[in-house]
Amino acid sequence: MIRVTVVYEAQLLRTALEELLRSSGMHVVSSLPRWPHGPAAERSETDVYVADAECLPPSLVPATACLPSSGAGAAGRSVLLALVPGQRPGVLRRAHAAGAAGFVDKDSPKCRLVEAVHRLARGERFIDDTLALGFLQATEMPLTRRELSVLSLAANGAPISEIAATLFLSKGTVRNYMASVIRKVGARNRVDAIRIAQGAGWT
């Protein structure tokens, strides 16, 4: 029996996913509103994590790096199946950076999700056909990781001084990064740049 952990912030949708997976003969060992880390991840006996890609941490370290070597993937490690919105290439890019081995469009029929879980449990990879364009668009994301870090902090309301202190940069350097972001995304100002980036799922 395939052991699955569901990661989805919205409780109603998370419960629906649990019921779907159980009705398909899988064992849901855990259900979480956010990506596990620390002891929660180390204790898990999961073959496949089925996670909303928007719950994955925007980290430079792949989310799967903390998973235990007790699952069904390569070398017996737990594997990640990301549920991604087809119209948000930035979220798709985040899921890929997180180390996902499978990608399912949120608009796909439930049989695609079930098939993907089975494929990943056998050590295979899975990419939903409808996400091909999204992958192409995801490769076109124009911002560097440092620019994304600056923009993400700005999107959370941090002023220039706080962004500079958090990232160990000078205020002038932060302003230069913001100017570069605004230019690259074709925005009118910082607020517009944040709107564009969030719409694409980059932050």
Side-chain angles (χ1 to χ4, degrees):
M1 181 177 289
I2 301 172
R3 301 167 298 178
V4 179
T5 287
V6 176
V7 184
Y8 212 111
E9 185 174 7
Q11 184 174 354
L12 181 62
L13 296 177
R14 189 168 72 249
T15 301
L17 276 173
E18 293 171 39
E19 293 175 355
L20 168 62
L21 294 168
R22 286 194 182 101
S23 68
S24 301
M26 300 172 199
H27 175 47
V28 178
V29 298
S30 186
S31 175
L32 307 167
R34 60 187 61 86
W35 186 254
H37 57 86
E42 294 168 4
R43 290 194 301 267
S44 176
E45 294 184 353
T46 298
D47 297 313
V48 181
Y49 281 83
V50 177
D52 177 8
E54 296 180 79
C55 290
L56 298 174
S59 169
L60 301 185
V61 179
T64 53
C66 67
L67 298 182
S69 299
S70 62
R77 181 174 293 279
S78 302
V79 291
L80 169 62
L81 173 61
L83 307 178
V84 297
Q87 302 305 313
R88 302 193 68 197
V91 177
L92 184 57
R93 183 186 180 94
R94 184 191 307 175
H96 184 268
F103 306 83
V104 172
D105 191 329
K106 286 184 178 181
D107 288 329
S108 290
K110 61 184 180 181
C111 62
R112 296 290 283 167
L113 172 61
V114 174
E115 178 189 356
V117 173
H118 280 283
R119 293 267 293 273
L120 264 65
R122 293 197 299 265
E124 302 174 21
R125 296 181 65 85
F126 183 93
I127 300 177
D128 215 328
D129 294 341
T130 60
L131 295 175
L133 177 59
F135 268 106
L136 289 175
Q137 293 174 331
T139 63
E140 298 171 359
M141 201 279 291
L143 306 180
T144 66
R145 289 179 173 177
R146 179 62 83 181
E147 288 168 344
L148 276 177
S149 297
V150 169
L151 190 62
S152 295
L153 290 171
N156 289 328
I160 294 293
S161 57
E162 183 179 330
I163 296 172
T166 301
L167 299 178
F168 303 101
L169 301 171
S170 70
K171 295 178 183 178
T173 299
V174 172
R175 291 191 183 92
N176 288 340
Y177 276 127
M178 282 304 308
S180 176
V181 168
I182 291 169
R183 184 184 71 256
K184 285 183 175 181
V185 303
R188 297 185 300 275
N189 50 42
R190 183 166 87 165
V191 173
D192 193 34
I194 292 170
R195 178 189 62 77
I196 292 170
Q198 290 180 334
W202 297 337
T203 61

